[in-house]
């Protein structure tokens, strides 16, 4: 299932801040035009598609002081995993401040979409923009990529173009999918190439859920390797996630919640796992809690683009600072805090603890060990009541325990956004370009080779038109080349950092 | 004569607001030390330089605000409007939606040409409001993408468009440990381009100002607002009106021209720094008294030991003895960490300003041999006090103070360039490896020139 939705990052550009009483802003094709009276040229139409005044008011009251329209992103949710995460994202985004915008839903299986259309987000999606195919991809990358890719390309492209047209300034596509299945993996990565061709100047950020070792989909190594080649070549930035890490985070929270410590109560809304105000028991719907963590990641990633701060960081700056070489664009993410204590007698979490936590494995969204590997670059996106001196103090404090590559010893990118997430006074998202992702890829390759050597299940793929064995060997080479690059960097880890001889000039 | 300020990028706009605010507040500070006539002339002069008049009496800053994304400009415009004291012109800002992504190449090669005309028109409009133009004051950072890249482009443009007007760039030197990972690339590209098109570079280092906030102002949780206010205070103490001659009631008319004349005798040496004394929190100020002798003694030692503030000065550093041949003087200076000056301008404001003894600054040992102290050192005095300080002194110097930081930035950028890291992000937008090499070569030359003073 593919859902394409323009994000809540758009804000209206108004001569006034609030609509007149009784003014209705309608949904879909009826667009209202406004002019910005302050800028030298008319800034363009007010494009907003909100269903009903209620949501609109909530959105606007959060916007007081904001005038100019900003960049937009389009979220592309592919497959079951992608769509579930995506919907959590919208839930939380609404909670933060957003208006609801036009959506395109592309579904390969009716079941999941129907559930969404009947749930609390039913107002959010326009059922006219639904593309459904009942049979699904059967956990086969080739079906998702080759069959559905070509079959639905025009239709999906049409929806994407429409969504893009309604953006004043489209900056980024966020693709959310999993690697191990068929639709998210196959069709999701097919779309990357389409996006690159059709919108070459728009960034492609991909949130990919990698399969864990105990994945119940036998062919997940095939799907993942084939998808990896596409990510290598067509994504600007990839944020790998694995379910085990998300599960560990939930367990940790659960431990604290149920620990029975006297006077310890958690603010329900502050849980990184909670959705719009409700404190759901995660055992009933574990994936909901896990998906919310990823949704929070995306929110924090875009916070500085959406809200003001003393040191802004836009999405294009993430790619610029964290991707030193085109292929090395895999970023390990960690989020803190996971919850806020409501009890006022408990002293507020020290700010410095938040920074330490960001570098602890407990808060990472993928299993990896950055502290014992090599940092190529690191970004700290801080939200809330944190100032530059807090940031600097903590960088100085943490630096000695981290190893940075020789040519980027001060490889820190920082941002300060004034608005914290709901329920928190401050929060931190750390993005690390670190060689610690290598083991994940090595493991993936090994699982692939084990399967491929036996030619197990290969016929399911090869029987699809356009698929040959070379697809597999090429994908494996691509991954091996990536691993080699990380190896080369790791080899420099123990070398002393030396200054290179400089240009000499005549005086 | 008036100065048109161009505020570029997040840093430039945030600082610009604080500068205008500081200038305005100071010029309307109740004065006990100067006569009414003196004070009115001061206010009028400040206004002529930095503000134009609006119908309902609210002064409008002579400024053009440029940024490639809207949030900061919106904030800046509303902060000024809400203050009720002064404001920015209704049509003085230009912004886009996407930012420059910390990419110098994007700011210079994409945004520059694309928005050249719009920005030029805005500046033109502002210039036309001036009876007579002293020049341009361009506020920008080096580490980001807009201030640095677009700033370099705009400065070059101004050189073409207004070849007879002076340009001074206020540059923010980033923190040593990263704000932006590619800050060293952005810095060397900015500096090398500005060195060719700007008349003077007035440099403020984030690390130095941060220390002032921590040690002198005693601020616990330092924000960029705090840093920018200290900076604005320093700039105010330089740019506010001063008498044109001893004891005259006429204020200098051409601030930028006068600054350049005194401080930039040779185009190869353009880097200026500001030191200001005293600097402290308002609470401490109430309990402090100063003498000119004390202030100037500290300021002089700050200059020769390259200290940025009056605390923690190294008093061991002394100027070398006269009579040494120049080569051994050079190596001795290096060992002693002695900061040699090309030119110094001392600006004194406040009570008994004429009684200050300046002999310490006229010592030839402070200066390089190719300028006589009488030419290398100048002083401006004004009875009218600055801000809340009964006595204050600002020292603008062209000296070796930036050699070490510049050398460090060039070294780090070079190491990164050797591995080719991030270079693809620049070549994507037309900045090639040769452009990098040109920048390195120019800056190595600047470092060498300053080193051999």
């Amino acid at each position: 299932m593919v859902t394409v939705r323009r994000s809540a990052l758009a804000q209206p550009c108004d001569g006034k801040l609030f609509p007149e009483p009784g003014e209705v802003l309608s949904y879909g094709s009826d667009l209202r035009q406004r002019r910005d009276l302050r800028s030298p040229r008319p800034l363009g139409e007010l494009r907003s598609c909100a269903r009903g005044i209620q949501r609109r008011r909530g959105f606007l009251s959060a916007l007081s002081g904001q005038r100019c329209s900003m960049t937009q992103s389009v979220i592309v949710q592919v497959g079951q995993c992608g769509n579930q995460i995506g919907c959590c994202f919208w839930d939380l985004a609404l909670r933060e401040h957003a208006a609801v915008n036009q959506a395109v839903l592309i579904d390969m299986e009716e079941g999941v979409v129907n559930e969404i259309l009947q749930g609390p987000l039913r107002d959010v999606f326009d059922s006219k923009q639904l593309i459904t195919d009942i049979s699904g991809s059967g956990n086969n990358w080739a079906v998702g990529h080759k069959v559905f890719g070509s079959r639905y390309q025009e239709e999906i492209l049409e929806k994407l173009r429409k969504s893009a047209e309604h953006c004043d300034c489209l900056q980024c596509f966020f693709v959310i999918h999993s690697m191990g299945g068929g639709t998210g993996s196959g069709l999701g990565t097919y779309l990357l190439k389409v996006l690159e061709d059709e919108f070459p100047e728009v960034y492609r950020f991909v949130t990919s859920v990698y399969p864990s070792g105990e994945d119940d989909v036998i062919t997940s190594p095939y799907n993942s390797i084939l998808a990896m080649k596409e990510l290598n070549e067509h994504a600007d930035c990839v944020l790998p996630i694995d379910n085990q890490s998300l599960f560990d985070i939930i367990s940790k929270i659960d431990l604290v919640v149920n620990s029975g410590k006297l006077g310890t109560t958690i603010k329900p809304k502050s849980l990184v796992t909670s959705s719009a105000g409700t404190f759901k028991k995660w055992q009933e719907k574990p994936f909901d809690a896990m998906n919310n963590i990823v949704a929070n990641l995306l929110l924090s990633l875009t916070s500085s683009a959406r809200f003001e701060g003393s040191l802004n960081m836009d999405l294009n700056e993430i790619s610029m600072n964290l991707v030193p070489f085109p292929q090395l664009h895999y970023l390990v993410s960690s989020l803190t805090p996971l919850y806020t204590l409501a009890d006022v007698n408990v002293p507020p979490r020290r700010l410095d603890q938040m920074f330490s936590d960001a570098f602890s494995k407990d808060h990472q969204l993928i299993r990896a060990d950055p502290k014992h590997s090599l940092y190529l670059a690191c970004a700290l996106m801080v939200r809330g009541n944190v100032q530059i001196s807090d940031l600097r103090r903590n960088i100085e404090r943490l630096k000695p325990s981290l190893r940075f590559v020789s040519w980027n010893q001060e490889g820190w990118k920082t941002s300060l956004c004034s608005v914290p997430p709901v329920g928190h006074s401050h929060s931190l998202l750390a993005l690390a370009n670190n060689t610690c992702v290598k083991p994940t890829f090595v493991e993936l390759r090994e699982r692939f080779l084990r399967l491929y050597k036996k030619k197990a299940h290969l016929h399911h793929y090869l029987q699809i038109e356009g698929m040959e064995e070379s697809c597999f060997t090429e994908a494996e080479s691509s991954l091996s080349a990536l691993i080699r690059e990380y190896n080369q960097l790791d080899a420099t880890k123990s070398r002393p950092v030396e200054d290179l001889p400089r240009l000499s000039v005549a005086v | 004569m008036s100065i048109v300020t161009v505020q570029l990028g997040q840093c430039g706009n945030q600082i610009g607001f604080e500068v205008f605010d500081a200038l305005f507040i100071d010029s309307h500070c109740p004065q006990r030390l100067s006569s009414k006539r003196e004070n009115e002339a001061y206010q009028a002069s400040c206004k002529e330089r930095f503000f134009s008049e609006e119908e309902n009496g609210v002064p409008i800053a002579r400024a053009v605000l440029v940024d490639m994304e809207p949030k900061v400009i919106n904030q800046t415009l509303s902060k000024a409007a809400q203050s009720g004291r002064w404001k920015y012109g209704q049509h003085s800002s230009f912004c886009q939606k996407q930012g420059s992504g910390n990419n110098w190449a994007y700011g210079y090669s994409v945004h520059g040409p694309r928005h050249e005309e719009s920005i030029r028109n805005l500046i033109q409009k502002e210039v036309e409001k001036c009876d007579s133009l002293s020049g341009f004051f361009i506020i920008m950072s080096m580490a980001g993408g807009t201030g640095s890249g677009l700033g370099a482009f705009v400065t070059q443009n101004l050189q073409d468009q207004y070849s007879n007007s002076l340009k001074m760039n206020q540059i923010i030197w980033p923190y040593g440990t990263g704000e932006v990972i590619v800050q060293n690339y952005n810095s060397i590209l900015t500096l090398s381009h500005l060195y060719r098109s700007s008349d003077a570079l007035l440099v403020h280092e984030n690390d130095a100002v941060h220390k002032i906030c921590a040690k002198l102002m005693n601020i616990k949780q330092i924000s960029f607002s705090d840093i920018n206010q200290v900076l604005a205070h320093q700039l105010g103490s330089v740019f506010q009106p001063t008498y044109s001659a001893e004891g005259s009631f006429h204020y200098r008319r051409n601030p930028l021209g006068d600054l350049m004349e005194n401080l930039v005798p040779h185009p190869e040496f353009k880097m200026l720094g500001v030191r200001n004394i005293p600097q402290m929190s308002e609470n401490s100020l109430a309990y402090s008294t100063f003498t000119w002798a004390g202030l100037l003694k500290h300021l002089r030692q700050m200059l020769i030991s390259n200290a940025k503030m009056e605390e923690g000065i190294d008093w061991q550093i002394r100027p070398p003895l006269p009579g040494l041949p120049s080569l051994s003087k050079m190596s001795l200076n290096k060992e002693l960490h002695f900061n040699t000056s090309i030119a110094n301008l001392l600006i004194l404001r406040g009570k008994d300003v004429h009684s200050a003894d300046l002999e310490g600054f006229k010592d030839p040992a402070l200066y390089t041999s190719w300028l006589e102290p009488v030419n290398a050192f100048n002083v401006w005095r004004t009875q009218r006090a600055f801000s809340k300080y009964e006595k204050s002194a600002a020292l603008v110097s062209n000296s070796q103070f930036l050699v070490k930081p510049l050398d460090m930035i060039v070294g780090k950028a070079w190491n990164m360039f050797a591995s080719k890291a991030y270079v693809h992000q620049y070549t994507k937008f037309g900045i090639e490896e040769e452009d990098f090499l040109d920048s390195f070569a120019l800056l190595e030359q600047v470092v060498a020139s300053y080193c051999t003073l």
Side-chain angles (χ1 to χ4, degrees):
Chain A
M1 172 170 69
V2 176
T3 311
V4 173
R5 186 109 142 266
R6 185 163 67 95
S7 84
L9 307 185
Q11 293 171 22
C13 191
D14 250 311
K16 6 173 205 171
L17 293 172
F18 296 92
E20 303 296 358
E23 204 174 0
V24 177
L25 294 157
S26 60
Y27 187 87
S29 50
D30 174 16
L31 301 170
R32 190 162 285 257
Q33 294 217 352
R34 301 267 183 88
R35 274 167 68 123
D36 179 8
L37 302 170
R38 281 170 323 291
S39 72
R41 327 180 279 204
L43 213 58
E45 309 152 285
L46 167 66
R47 293 185 176 109
S48 163
C49 314
R51 177 82 58 104
I53 285 227
Q54 211 126 29
R55 283 235 169 89
R56 185 81 185 138
R57 278 212 186 109
F59 162 54
L60 280 174
S61 59
L63 277 191
S64 48
Q66 307 270 336
R67 288 174 204 173
C68 250
S69 166
M70 281 153 34
T71 57
Q72 290 93 30
S73 301
V74 173
I75 313 276
V76 185
Q77 312 166 182
V78 194
Q80 178 178 38
C81 172
N83 273 285
Q84 287 176 348
I85 293 176
C87 293
C88 290
F89 170 80
W90 287 113
D91 224 17
L92 290 177
L94 285 171
R95 187 157 61 132
E96 268 203 7
H97 78 143
V100 168
N101 298 298
Q102 211 173 54
V104 175
L105 262 181
I106 305 164
D107 190 5
M108 298 297 130
E109 276 193 65
E110 269 193 284
V112 181
V113 167
N114 281 336
E115 193 191 296
I116 293 170
L117 286 180
Q118 270 138 40
L121 294 182
R122 61 183 171 278
D123 286 344
V124 163
F125 297 94
D126 182 351
S127 56
K128 290 198 293 285
Q129 295 159 312
L130 189 68
I131 303 174
T132 333
D133 186 293
I134 300 177
S135 56
S137 301
N139 285 324
N140 187 330
W141 182 93
V143 172
H145 195 93
K146 304 276 186 191
V147 178
F148 291 148
S150 49
R151 190 184 298 170
Y152 293 105
Q153 174 171 340
E154 263 322 299
E155 208 175 334
I156 297 176
L157 208 49
E158 199 43 51
K159 307 296 180 192
L160 285 170
R161 283 195 197 114
K162 269 227 181 70
S163 245
E165 267 166 44
H166 288 140
C167 297
D168 270 328
C169 177
L170 177 58
Q171 188 178 43
C172 183
F173 286 107
F174 280 101
V175 177
I176 315 176
H177 73 144
S178 70
M179 298 284 279
T183 307
S185 180
L187 183 54
T189 52
Y190 182 84
L191 287 179
L192 278 182
K193 184 75 176 61
V194 168
L195 292 173
E196 189 177 27
D197 292 336
E198 187 73 15
F199 307 94
E201 295 191 358
V202 181
Y203 286 89
R204 294 172 297 284
F205 273 59
V206 188
T207 307
S208 307
V209 181
Y210 279 69
S212 50
E214 313 77 36
D215 201 280
D216 53 2
V217 176
I218 302 177
T219 51
S220 69
Y222 285 160
N223 297 330
S224 305
I225 290 261
L226 292 163
M228 270 297 284
K229 176 165 182 287
E230 308 300 314
L231 291 183
N232 280 342
E233 291 171 17
H234 305 299
D236 288 310
C237 241
V238 178
L239 301 162
I241 315 252
D242 70 57
N243 279 333
Q244 187 60 49
S245 299
L246 298 180
F247 193 82
D248 290 343
I249 289 177
I250 300 177
S251 310
K252 183 174 187 242
I253 294 175
D254 196 48
L255 216 64
V256 176
V257 168
N258 297 328
S259 66
K261 271 200 220 141
L262 286 169
T264 305
T265 43
I266 307 243
K267 285 196 213 171
K269 279 200 185 137
S270 74
L271 284 172
V272 76
T273 52
S274 81
S275 51
T278 63
F279 181 27
K280 287 191 203 158
K281 273 257 172 332
W282 68 266
Q283 287 102 335
E284 293 159 26
K285 283 192 158 196
F287 280 103
D288 264 357
M290 288 158 66
N291 293 338
N292 271 312
I293 299 175
V294 182
N296 267 297
L297 163 68
L298 290 174
L299 274 180
S300 282
L301 205 58
T302 56
S303 58
S304 191
R306 293 178 290 128
F307 298 114
E308 64 183 28
S310 63
L311 191 58
N312 296 334
M313 177 150 125
D314 215 339
L315 293 166
N316 48 12
E317 292 171 36
I318 295 179
S319 173
M320 176 70 183
N321 284 285
L322 293 175
V323 183
F325 300 99
Q327 289 254 310
L328 302 179
H329 55 243
Y330 295 86
L331 308 177
V332 174
S333 49
S334 41
L335 273 175
T336 96
L338 302 175
Y339 52 82
T340 308
L341 297 175
D343 190 334
V344 294
N345 290 326
V346 178
R349 216 147 233 264
R350 280 187 312 126
L351 207 53
D352 291 13
Q353 184 61 45
M354 179 177 79
F355 283 90
S356 302
D357 285 343
F359 289 89
S360 122
K361 286 193 255 181
D362 290 342
H363 291 256
Q364 280 167 212
L365 276 64
I366 181 165
R367 270 172 312 164
D369 191 4
K371 274 199 166 162
H372 294 105
S373 307
L374 198 61
Y375 276 89
L376 305 181
C378 188
L380 297 175
M381 303 180 72
V382 186
R383 299 178 65 174
N385 184 18
V386 184
Q387 301 301 339
I388 186 69
S389 55
D390 302 312
L391 198 46
R392 305 217 56 72
R393 178 179 68 248
N394 281 285
I395 290 180
E396 292 304 310
R397 186 174 62 86
L398 293 165
K399 226 171 44 148
S401 61
L402 307 170
R403 196 169 291 132
F404 276 79
V405 71
S406 63
W407 42 260
N408 206 4
Q409 290 278 291
E410 278 84 28
W412 297 91
K413 163 68 181 165
T414 54
S415 76
L416 293 165
C417 171
S418 316
V419 180
V422 174
H424 294 272
S425 56
H426 44 254
S427 77
L428 170 61
L429 164 63
L431 294 174
N433 192 339
N434 187 305
T435 56
C436 66
V437 287
K438 192 184 67 179
T440 306
F441 299 149
V442 169
E443 229 182 87
L444 203 60
R445 185 178 62 179
E446 268 161 33
R447 275 189 293 192
F448 164 79
L449 288 173
R450 270 201 296 272
L451 217 53
Y452 190 64
K453 275 205 181 81
K454 294 184 277 182
K455 306 284 186 226
H457 304 279
L458 212 51
H459 57 283
H460 291 302
Y461 292 80
L462 297 177
Q463 74 193 13
I464 305 291
E465 191 184 321
M467 284 299 290
E468 291 161 14
E469 284 209 32
S470 59
C471 297
F472 287 90
T473 49
E474 274 165 25
E476 196 267 330
S477 314
S478 170
L479 185 56
S480 295
L482 184 65
I483 293 174
R484 262 198 307 276
E485 286 217 38
Y486 281 114
N487 275 330
Q488 276 170 358
L489 286 164
D490 269 335
T492 68
K493 211 175 13 171
S494 44
R495 277 190 229 144
V497 179
E498 269 164 15
D499 282 335
L500 294 162
R502 300 253 293 266
L503 286 178
S504 50
V505 290
V507 173
Chain B
M1 294 172 92
S2 310
I3 298 176
V4 169
T5 299
V6 183
Q7 308 178 179
L8 288 150
Q10 173 164 30
C11 178
N13 280 290
Q14 283 175 186
I15 291 177
F17 166 77
E18 300 292 354
V19 172
F20 281 104
D21 214 29
L23 293 169
F24 184 90
I25 290 177
D26 167 60
S27 75
H28 286 77
C29 221
Q31 286 298 310
R32 286 164 290 119
L33 295 172
S34 29
S35 69
K36 187 162 178 255
R37 191 181 141 204
E38 251 178 352
N39 200 32
E40 279 171 3
Y42 185 90
Q43 283 180 342
S45 176
C46 169
K47 196 139 131 247
E48 186 198 359
R49 288 181 185 193
F50 298 107
F51 296 94
S52 59
E53 188 82 58
E54 160 104 317
E55 275 123 39
N56 54 11
V58 180
I60 299 190
R62 296 188 191 275
V64 172
L65 296 80
V66 178
D67 200 358
M68 292 298 105
E69 63 106 348
K71 295 196 296 289
V72 182
I73 285 191
N74 287 340
Q75 245 189 318
T76 308
L77 291 174
S78 27
K79 258 168 72 172
Q82 278 165 19
S83 75
R85 300 186 276 269
W86 57 275
K87 59 184 187 180
Y88 286 102
Q90 227 188 9
H91 303 285
S92 304
S93 64
F94 176 80
C95 72
Q96 291 294 285
K97 301 199 184 90
Q98 262 217 61
S100 302
N102 287 165
N103 193 327
W104 193 95
Y106 201 82
Y108 185 83
S109 307
V110 178
H111 282 310
R114 199 180 281 174
H115 308 300
E116 185 178 344
E117 209 181 308
S118 309
I119 298 176
R120 199 185 325 149
N121 289 340
L122 271 190
I123 295 180
Q124 177 76 17
K125 263 195 342 211
E126 202 55 53
V127 168
E128 279 164 13
K129 286 194 218 158
C130 306
D131 280 332
S132 121
L133 182 68
S134 171
F136 299 95
F137 188 59
I138 302 144
I139 313 181
M140 53 195 266
S141 72
M142 290 200 309
T146 300
S148 68
L150 184 58
F153 184 88
V154 168
T155 307
Q156 224 163 273
N157 235 270
L158 289 175
Q159 192 184 34
D160 298 331
Q161 286 285 304
Y162 300 93
S163 44
N164 292 327
S165 300
L166 293 167
K167 293 166 301 298
M168 177 177 280
N169 290 66
Q170 162 66 56
I171 301 181
I172 302 304
W173 204 265
Y175 285 100
T177 41
E179 301 168 20
V180 170
I181 291 176
V182 290
Q183 65 186 44
N184 297 317
Y185 279 170
N186 293 338
S187 299
I188 59 141
L189 289 164
T190 304
L191 286 170
S192 63
H193 278 74
L194 287 183
Y195 229 83
R196 294 183 204 122
S197 49
S198 175
D199 297 303
L201 309 179
L202 187 58
V203 177
H204 271 97
E205 298 164 77
N206 269 349
D207 278 306
V209 183
H210 190 107
K211 275 210 195 85
I212 292 176
C213 287
K215 299 271 160 62
L216 299 182
M217 314 294 283
N218 274 318
I219 303 173
K220 291 282 173 286
Q221 198 187 23
I222 300 167
S223 66
F224 272 118
S225 234
D226 299 318
I227 290 181
N228 294 341
Q229 279 166 9
V230 168
L231 229 147
H233 176 90
Q234 293 200 338
L235 290 175
S237 71
V238 171
F239 282 103
Q240 284 293 48
T242 53
Y243 292 144
S244 56
E246 296 291 348
S248 154
F249 284 129
H250 294 112
Y251 288 96
R252 281 180 186 271
R253 297 221 61 223
N254 188 356
L256 285 181
D258 294 338
L259 277 168
M260 306 287 188
E261 196 185 310
N262 288 316
L263 291 164
V264 189
H266 190 293
E268 205 169 312
F269 301 93
K270 286 185 178 164
M271 310 233 270
L272 309 177
V274 181
R275 285 173 182 78
N276 193 283
I277 193 173
Q279 209 143 22
M280 53 180 48
S281 64
E282 267 189 54
N283 302 337
S284 312
L285 194 55
Y287 301 101
S288 315
T289 48
F290 307 99
T291 61
W292 283 118
L295 289 176
L296 292 177
K297 184 171 168 208
H298 278 78
L299 198 52
R300 180 178 181 272
Q301 192 62 23
M302 276 161 69
L303 170 68
I304 58 186
S305 65
N306 198 15
K308 301 297 180 350
M309 57 182 186
E310 56 260 48
E311 217 183 87
I313 301 176
D314 186 348
W315 291 95
Q316 299 301 322
I317 299 178
R318 292 251 183 279
L321 297 164
L324 283 172
S326 62
L327 264 177
S328 56
K329 178 183 174 200
M330 228 164 53
S331 59
L332 194 63
N333 282 350
K334 260 200 172 149
E335 269 176 49
L336 298 173
H337 310 291
F338 176 76
N339 185 34
T340 306
S341 304
I342 292 171
N344 281 308
L345 172 65
L346 192 57
I347 303 174
L348 304 176
R349 300 176 190 272
K351 188 174 175 190
D352 300 330
V353 99
H354 298 287
S355 67
D357 175 11
L358 306 165
E359 285 314 302
F361 285 94
K362 296 182 185 167
D363 181 357
L366 263 55
Y367 298 95
T368 177
S369 54
W370 40 270
L371 265 187
E372 293 294 325
V374 70
N375 296 316
F377 174 69
N378 285 281
V379 60
W380 296 350
R381 302 181 220 237
T382 301
Q383 188 108 312
R384 205 265 192 195
F386 177 67
S387 189
K388 299 202 170 62
Y389 295 85
E390 190 189 64
K391 298 187 179 82
S392 67
L395 182 67
V396 189
S397 37
N398 189 342
S399 72
Q400 294 175 313
F401 80 102
L402 259 193
V403 167
K404 215 157 144 232
L406 181 57
D407 192 56
M408 261 187 25
I409 284 195
V410 173
K412 287 188 199 162
W414 185 248
N415 279 339
M416 192 180 266
F417 183 68
S419 71
K420 297 287 177 278
Y422 299 102
V423 174
H424 71 284
Q425 307 270 18
Y426 292 84
T427 54
K428 214 177 359 176
F429 298 110
I431 298 298
E432 303 299 331
E433 292 189 14
E434 295 83 65
D435 299 307
F436 276 91
L437 288 171
D438 282 342
S439 298
F440 282 116
L442 191 151
L443 292 177
E444 295 282 11
Q445 186 70 60
V446 172
V447 171
S449 304
Y450 269 101
C451 268
T452 55
L453 283 179

